[in-house]
Amino acid sequence: MTGIPGRTAVTESLKALPAQLTPPVELPAGVHELAVSAAAALGWDGTVLPEMTLHGRRVCLVVDLKADVHAERICLGQEPVTDRASVSTWAWPELHGRVPEPAVRIVGAIAVARHWRTGLANAVPFLRYGDTAMVLPTSAVLTHDYLANCLPRSRAYGVAIVSAEPDAKVELDLPGRQERAYPEVDALYRWVSELAYDQILDGAAAAH
């Protein structure tokens, strides 16, 4: 007996049955491949960088290299500075005009995820820097949870959604914000842009 009126526990004859396991949702292709396809579907111009972890969020940045600034930084020997503490001082008023110019413009950030909650959590922090989007498998899009919970939140934030078919073809499911806001060029933006600049140079060096 449980001691609770109306409830009787028969532990001797009770057998625990295993819960039905739901197979994990798999991505139809690699993260970078899907991000590249998503950028094309979104009409974003720029280089899609490999996935990186920034502020604890995993995203693929889409950036545009500023050719004139890049050339000037080469002439001045100003290589990318990826140390966050060093870059944080660049916002100080006394250093105005004495630090390197951003060599890349952040077009946006793409979060590739198996579930919309993960994708949204990864994408939203980057809205201050540019456009954002998340790529989700079609199986995650064709659910009541997606319609009832994901779409309203994504619309409210302005995060675009791209669905990925099992054959890795992508389709724009929800456009992002229509107006393009100017990014807030603060110390964090400068640090992220330096990391992106470093990745572009590494990618160019590896290609040769």
Side-chain angles (χ1 to χ4, degrees):
M1 302 291 291
T2 63
I4 302 176
R7 292 188 180 180
T8 303
V10 187
T11 57
E12 293 82 359
S13 59
L14 183 64
K15 293 183 179 180
L17 298 176
Q20 184 176 1
L21 298 178
T22 303
V25 176
E26 296 296 335
L27 296 173
V31 169
H32 187 253
E33 179 184 341
L34 292 174
V36 170
S37 298
L42 291 161
W44 293 3
D45 293 325
T47 301
V48 182
L49 300 178
E51 186 180 56
M52 63 173 75
T53 302
L54 298 167
H55 317 317
R57 314 295 184 181
R58 297 172 61 181
V59 293
C60 293
L61 292 179
V62 181
V63 299
D64 182 29
L65 181 66
K66 299 179 180 179
D68 54 342
V69 178
H70 174 50
E72 182 180 4
R73 289 186 62 161
I74 290 176
C75 293
L76 297 176
Q78 295 174 335
E79 297 183 348
V81 179
T82 58
D83 178 64
R84 185 172 180 177
S86 298
V87 177
S88 66
T89 65
W90 292 3
W92 295 354
E94 56 267 33
L95 291 181
H96 180 71
R98 299 168 55 188
V99 298
E101 288 293 318
V104 301
R105 178 180 66 88
I106 299 174
V107 176
I110 299 175
V112 180
R114 292 173 172 81
H115 193 277
W116 69 264
R117 292 185 187 276
T118 303
L120 199 62
N122 286 339
V124 166
F126 294 89
L127 283 166
R128 64 190 297 180
Y129 305 134
D131 294 329
T132 61
M134 56 179 169
V135 182
L136 302 173
T138 305
S139 57
V141 172
L142 300 176
T143 64
H144 174 74
D145 178 47
Y146 172 83
L147 296 174
N149 297 308
C150 175
L151 286 180
R153 288 170 172 80
S154 297
R155 286 195 185 98
Y157 284 114
V159 177
I161 302 175
V162 176
S163 61
E165 300 285 345
D167 60 359
K169 290 183 179 179
V170 301
E171 182 176 344
L172 181 62
D173 197 63
L174 178 71
R177 56 186 179 188
Q178 300 304 312
E179 75 286 353
R180 186 178 296 273
Y182 290 100
E184 181 181 345
V185 184
D186 55 10
L188 281 176
Y189 181 95
R190 290 305 317 272
W191 178 60
V192 172
S193 69
E194 289 297 301
L195 291 175
Y197 185 36
D198 185 56
Q199 279 215 13
I200 286 183
L201 296 187
D202 283 348
H208 291 292

